[in-house]
Amino acid sequence: MKTEEEGDGDLQRRPSGSARLSVHLDCLQRPITLAELMELLHFAALGKGGGLKQPSWCRVHHQRKVSGVNVVIVEGLTQSLFYKNYLSVEHLKTSYTTRITFTPSSNNVASEIFSLEVPNLDFLSVSKPEETLHKALKYHPVITTFGTQRRGLTAYVLSQQQMIKNHYPVKGFPGFEEFLSTGSDVCVTDDSPLYGLDCEMCLTEKGYELARASLVDSDGNCVLDELVKPQNRVFNYLTKFSGITAAMLRPITTTLRDVQAKIRMLLPDNAVLVGHSLNNDLVALKLIHQHVIDTSLLYRREFGQKFKLKVLAEAVLKRQIQTEEKRGHNPTEDAVAALELAQYFIKTGPLQVVELHLEELWGYTVEEESPKRTPAPSPSYRFADVLQTLGRSVAYFGKRADVALDLSHQCWYSSDKEILTSFRKQRKHPFLSVLQLSSFSDHLKGSCAHQQQLYHNVCANLQDMCAVFAGPFPAGFSKRDVRRLFCCCGPVRKVQMLNTSVRMHAKVEFWMLEGAMLALKVLNGLSVLGQTIKVQRPVNESTLDLDLNLDALMRDKLNTNRLYVVKLRHDAVQGLNISTRVNGCVSDAKCSGFPPGRQMNGLLQTAKINDKQLHPCTTKSELCEESVRKTFSRFGLIKSLVLPGKHGKHARHACIEFESPEGKCAALNSSEHLLEDSYLVWPSVTPPHLLSWVGMTTKRKTEMEEGETAEEQRPDSLDDGSQVFWEEILGRPRMHCRDSISHLSWEHLGIHQNEDSARERDVWGSFLDLIS
């Protein structure tokens, strides 16, 4: 995912100038509606030409490069089902680099796409100018090839098929094995520089060979003008056309290879070569260049005929070239003329070029038509109708359904396999294609109760990925204590105490996958009040492939550059001593359950915690954007920073996205140093469009969970047993506590001065009264 501020490159590393999508940071983690989806489709298809604005929740870059819109609707594929089947949807998770939650408001999304009207559309600005054209212009070769709209230079760069058709040297084709490529593999944009090229040849025993080459830049300045010694014996210097004589070439030592090297050095990677019948010049140079504009194909004539450069320069540029008094052609003059002809065509547009030079070049004029016309019907603003009015085809592919589209544009099939096979076999795809598949909905058929049960099972399986079992805990350790202990790894969703006949354990559910993974590494083997606790995953059917899922999520393209961060607090009061190394070996506890030196993706899994005096009970995060950026910017450029948290409360963790994977790796490798600043780091696993992992399965708290939360926030009664318990946590004898009580502050006890801590301060006040 990219935010709007991020600029060009994306996860697929598309060539610069290609169409792409970026999502606003504040819209990344909220579902989009059907209306917002239509904002994207309308703008992607029509652009600013119809008076439309960019979608409110995202941004379409280089919209003019959009050549078609394909919408694939997979019925029944919910967010939770997608991640439940994450390992099997290889194509979906790797081919689509933008992922966001969609909440349809209609059961027939396909029909809504075609039928919803385009709001605030300036129909006149997007209507086809061809409809108002004179009949004589509608079928003009320039208009039929390039249309009537003025476009950027990329609209006139020859495609590979056009180059083959017009006998251009193309890499990999027979006959051009010895040709040298300029290496211009970068995609061009409308801002790419234009270079004019022209060559003169002479006839040798092996055919036409290069005798002179000229290259001019986009301002018309000559950057290369070289005479070239032909490799073979010359039969005819073609002086009448080339201006080359034997005397001119006699002292020349410059070879074809020399000129090739100079041209390769002079041309930028994104340069566009311009010339008149440029294929002949490139063949003479034995050069292959991917991006060319041929002026003989811009100013087209009927039946494939071509204008001479001299005629075009006189009619369009009002300039005399290749005159009789001159001895032969001047290639620099011809290169400048071709360059200016191309620049004029691009700037003026095909329709105006034809109208201004119709009589001079094409030899006829347009007479006024009779004004008698039938009144035009009022236009329809339905999306499908607007596209068809513009001459863009639309189509529906799927099973027979009630779709608001003319039957002639619907293709019905009996299975998803037939739909996809038919779509792939089409030689020319419609501009707007809507495919409706029912793979997942077929599996979900059945009673409402069965579907509801399936949904609950999927949610439970996903929540199991964020759960850990911990224990045994010392006697008297409460649910609240467990929550505050595990909060050092991330936000805790739920704690369930498990009282066995002998010892006490707890099931802890985190909101984030990273929280559970950190807890396994940081808290497993921790000594709590002399009791070593073990943290482990639940083992059931849903977690059998958990390692594979987590590894795939960690390698997800959306998480390539992202890092998960939590902040601990050093406390002046001696609290729980976490003297453990989390890189595979544990110093205090010998039952870590992890092999020494375990690595993940070649990176250290987290920092080591060497006898740090940390107080997990006081790990309420004090993260702020300024401090996080200051700490982590030394590892690499930070692209985006998210501090999730409720309004008015501190964020418990942060998600950092670096410009490159190297920044993330550097931070992970420096985890020991980061721990000195009280930071724990972990590779991001939760996809960035999800506010939390279990958030996609729990839209609201159930009454039971709300009751549990209220119970957790209720202070425990401070009886004699709990008094002894807290004395042990503080690690001080009772008399010493009485002597030192005046030195304690609320911050030492992990209590911040805000409205939510009023009750907590009262409880601690009662506790201080007891121990004093």
Side-chain angles (χ1 to χ4, degrees):
M1 278 298 205
K2 307 298 269 184
T3 59
E4 184 181 7
E5 302 86 26
E6 259 72 279
D8 291 353
D10 65 0
L11 297 174
Q12 290 275 42
R13 300 197 179 276
R14 295 186 182 95
S16 59
S18 62
R20 63 181 181 84
L21 177 70
S22 64
V23 182
H24 296 172
L25 190 60
D26 57 341
C27 300
L28 186 62
Q29 293 178 335
R30 69 169 180 83
I32 62 168
T33 63
L34 178 60
E36 289 173 319
L37 174 63
M38 293 309 300
E39 289 179 16
L40 169 61
L41 298 182
H42 290 163
F43 187 83
L46 302 173
K48 296 180 180 179
L52 300 180
K53 296 181 180 179
Q54 286 274 3
S56 60
W57 59 279
C58 65
R59 186 173 183 83
V60 181
H61 302 267
H62 306 293
Q63 181 275 333
R64 290 185 178 181
K65 298 296 182 66
V66 175
S67 58
V69 178
N70 298 328
V71 182
V72 184
I73 303 168
V74 186
E75 296 179 2
L77 180 55
T78 61
Q79 186 87 262
S80 52
L81 274 174
F82 173 81
Y83 285 106
K84 174 62 174 65
N85 298 276
Y86 185 73
L87 294 176
S88 20
V89 287
E90 187 68 28
H91 176 68
L92 285 177
K93 69 184 182 184
T94 56
S95 299
Y96 295 89
T97 57
T98 302
R99 207 177 296 161
I100 195 165
T101 307
F102 170 59
T103 54
S105 57
S106 169
N107 292 328
N108 196 344
V109 177
S111 184
E112 295 285 346
I113 290 175
F114 292 117
S115 63
L116 285 178
E117 293 188 350
V118 182
N120 306 318
L121 177 66
D122 183 3
F123 205 93
L124 292 178
S125 63
V126 298
S127 59
K128 287 201 305 182
E130 290 87 343
E131 295 179 353
T132 59
L133 282 179
H134 192 281
K135 291 181 180 179
L137 297 181
K138 278 187 178 181
Y139 305 103
H140 191 280
V142 173
I143 301 299
T144 55
T145 303
F146 301 112
T148 57
Q149 297 289 330
R150 187 174 58 186
R151 301 180 181 180
L153 66 88
T154 52
Y156 308 108
V157 174
L158 296 183
S159 65
Q160 188 180 64
Q161 290 79 10
Q162 290 172 322
M163 294 179 73
I164 295 171
K165 181 180 178 181
N166 289 279
H167 313 295
Y168 275 82
V170 176
K171 189 175 182 179
F173 275 69
F176 307 120
E177 293 84 0
E178 297 181 359
F179 280 47
L180 185 67
S181 176
T182 57
S184 58
D185 296 330
V186 178
C187 281
V188 296
T189 68
D190 290 338
D191 298 322
S192 295
L194 296 176
Y195 281 77
L197 177 67
D198 189 71
C199 298
E200 300 299 337
M201 281 75 77
C202 57
L203 184 62
T204 70
E205 58 184 356
K206 291 295 182 69
Y208 291 101
E209 290 191 37
L210 182 69
R212 185 178 178 182
S214 292
L215 185 71
V216 298
D217 62 18
S218 55
D219 295 323
N221 302 315
C222 182
V223 295
L224 175 73
D225 187 13
E226 293 278 354
L227 289 169
V228 182
K229 191 80 169 180
Q231 294 178 335
N232 299 287
R233 185 161 58 95
V234 178
F235 285 164
N236 190 341
Y237 288 94
L238 305 176
T239 306
K240 179 180 178 181
F241 303 102
S242 66
I244 305 295
T245 62
M248 293 172 63
L249 292 182
R250 193 171 296 117
I252 300 301
T253 59
T254 303
T255 65
L256 175 64
R257 292 298 180 189
D258 296 332
V259 174
Q260 288 176 336
K262 289 181 180 181
I263 292 177
R264 289 189 67 183
M265 181 185 66
L266 289 169
L267 289 180
D269 289 339
N270 63 337
V272 177
L273 282 180
V274 179
H276 196 77
S277 296
L278 189 59
N279 56 307
N280 298 323
D281 303 303
L282 291 176
V283 169
L285 281 165
K286 291 190 175 181
L287 269 182
I288 295 175
H289 191 80
Q290 289 189 6
H291 315 299
V292 299
I293 294 178
D294 193 333
T295 50
S296 70
L297 301 177
L298 286 183
Y299 299 84
R300 291 172 176 260
R301 298 180 67 181
E302 294 84 353
F303 312 113
Q305 294 179 316
K306 297 180 180 179
F307 288 110
K308 290 185 178 181
L309 181 63
K310 177 180 180 179
V311 174
L312 290 176
E314 184 176 356
V316 178
L317 304 178
K318 311 301 180 187
R319 183 186 307 163
Q320 299 286 333
I321 64 171
Q322 302 174 2
T323 54
E324 292 182 0
E325 57 268 17
K326 294 181 181 180
R327 189 178 182 183
H329 299 174
N330 184 335
T332 302
E333 182 182 57
D334 292 352
V336 171
L339 174 71
E340 293 182 359
L341 283 169
Q343 291 172 332
Y344 174 80
F345 192 97
I346 295 168
K347 181 179 179 180
T348 308
L351 177 60
Q352 197 169 354
V353 167
V354 171
E355 290 177 340
L356 291 175
H357 306 286
L358 185 62
E359 186 173 4
E360 291 176 279
L361 290 176
W362 289 277
Y364 60 90
T365 58
V366 175
E367 296 181 356
E368 291 294 330
E369 290 184 324
S370 172
K372 294 181 181 180
R373 292 182 181 177
T374 57
S378 58
S380 169
Y381 291 91
R382 295 168 73 253
F383 188 33
D385 295 338
V386 170
L387 292 177
Q388 289 176 338
T389 302
L390 296 174
R392 299 174 182 176
S393 55
V394 297
Y396 165 80
F397 298 82
K399 296 181 180 180
R400 183 169 183 171
D402 184 14
V403 179
L405 187 68
D406 189 271
L407 291 177
S408 60
H409 300 294
Q410 296 188 38
C411 303
W412 295 340
Y413 303 93
S414 58
S415 67
D416 290 346
K417 185 175 182 180
E418 291 182 6
I419 296 172
L420 295 174
T421 302
S422 174
F423 184 76
R424 290 195 183 106
K425 286 183 177 179
Q426 290 196 8
R427 290 187 176 181
K428 185 176 181 181
H429 292 291
F431 180 83
L432 173 65
S433 303
V434 177
L435 286 74
Q436 182 139 345
L437 309 177
S438 55
S439 298
F440 277 83
S441 61
D442 289 341
H443 296 296
L444 295 176
K445 288 180 180 178
S447 64
C448 181
H450 173 72
Q451 294 185 25
Q452 196 71 14
Q453 183 61 41
L454 177 61
Y455 174 74
H456 286 309
N457 292 342
V458 169
C459 294
N461 292 343
L462 294 174
Q463 291 174 22
D464 284 344
M465 297 175 69
C466 290
V468 294
F469 285 98
F473 292 102
F477 214 74
S478 68
K479 182 186 298 186
R480 180 191 180 96
D481 304 328
V482 175
R483 174 181 288 271
R484 299 185 70 180
L485 174 63
F486 279 80
C487 273
C488 70
C489 299
V492 174
R493 171 176 173 261
K494 183 181 177 183
V495 175
Q496 180 183 357
M497 301 304 293
L498 307 172
N499 295 316
T500 64
S501 59
V502 180
R503 298 184 295 182
M504 181 170 57
H505 296 75
K507 179 182 180 182
V508 182
E509 293 184 15
F510 289 88
W511 282 104
M512 309 287 288
L513 288 167
E514 295 87 344
M517 299 173 77
L518 262 180
L520 287 168
K521 302 301 179 186
V522 174
L523 300 180
N524 185 41
L526 177 69
S527 179
V528 178
L529 303 177
Q531 177 73 56
T532 300
I533 66 170
K534 186 175 182 180
V535 182
Q536 55 191 339
R537 291 278 190 186
V539 179
N540 51 44
E541 184 180 355
S542 65
T543 58
L544 293 178
D545 290 327
L546 181 58
D547 291 342
L548 291 176
N549 274 291
L550 293 177
D551 186 56
L553 285 167
M554 197 176 295
R555 291 184 286 103
D556 195 310
K557 290 184 178 181
L558 306 187
N559 290 322
T560 305
N561 305 340
R562 303 181 75 252
L563 188 71
Y564 174 85
V565 178
V566 291
K567 180 77 180 285
L568 300 173
R569 278 194 55 207
H570 290 281
D571 220 32
V573 180
Q574 289 198 5
L576 302 176
N577 290 328
I578 305 180
S579 52
T580 176
R581 294 168 56 109
V582 196
N583 290 332
C585 53
V586 179
S587 57
D588 276 0
K590 297 181 180 179
C591 54
S592 68
F594 293 97
R598 180 177 172 184
Q599 302 285 324
M600 182 168 295
N601 293 338
L603 300 175
L604 296 177
Q605 292 172 329
T606 184
K608 64 179 180 181
I609 307 177
N610 292 325
D611 299 316
K612 297 289 184 181
Q613 303 298 320
L614 300 180
H615 202 321
C617 294
T618 60
T619 54
K620 289 187 177 179
S621 176
E622 295 180 357
L623 289 172
C624 66
E625 182 172 351
E626 182 180 357
S627 63
V628 174
R629 284 188 179 275
K630 182 178 179 181
T631 302
F632 287 88
S633 58
R634 67 177 184 264
F635 302 116
L637 291 176
I638 294 178
K639 184 169 292 184
S640 65
L641 173 62
V642 180
L643 297 170
K646 294 183 180 179
H647 180 69
K649 293 188 177 182
H650 290 298
R652 291 174 177 264
H653 64 281
C655 294
I656 301 174
E657 183 181 8
F658 290 95
E659 286 281 356
S660 66
E662 288 74 19
K664 170 184 172 181
C665 294
L668 289 170
N669 288 328
S670 302
S671 54
E672 295 186 17
H673 300 292
L674 288 171
L675 187 62
E676 296 175 1
D677 296 328
S678 303
Y679 286 105
L680 287 177
V681 294
W682 192 263
S684 284
V685 183
T686 304
H689 65 285
L690 298 177
L691 189 61
S692 70
W693 180 254
V694 296
M696 61 177 157
T697 65
T698 54
K699 294 183 179 179
R700 64 178 68 88
K701 288 184 178 181
T702 64
E703 295 180 1
M704 181 182 66
E705 290 176 351
E706 290 176 351
E708 289 173 350
T709 304
E711 181 182 349
E712 291 168 10
Q713 294 177 349
R714 189 180 305 120
D716 298 316
S717 60
L718 292 170
D719 53 16
D720 294 338
S722 60
Q723 177 185 348
V724 176
F725 167 66
W726 286 112
E727 289 176 6
E728 292 176 351
I729 283 189
L730 287 175
R732 303 179 179 185
R734 183 170 181 177
M735 289 182 62
H736 186 68
C737 289
R738 184 187 302 117
D739 297 335
S740 304
I741 200 66
S742 59
H743 301 290
L744 296 178
S745 66
W746 296 121
E747 285 71 21
H748 289 157
L749 299 174
I751 302 173
H752 301 276
Q753 303 292 336
N754 56 47
E755 297 177 2
D756 296 333
S757 61
R759 178 180 296 179
E760 190 175 8
R761 292 199 300 272
D762 292 341
V763 176
W764 274 99
S766 302
F767 156 67
L768 296 178
D769 291 339
L770 282 171
I771 64 172
S772 60

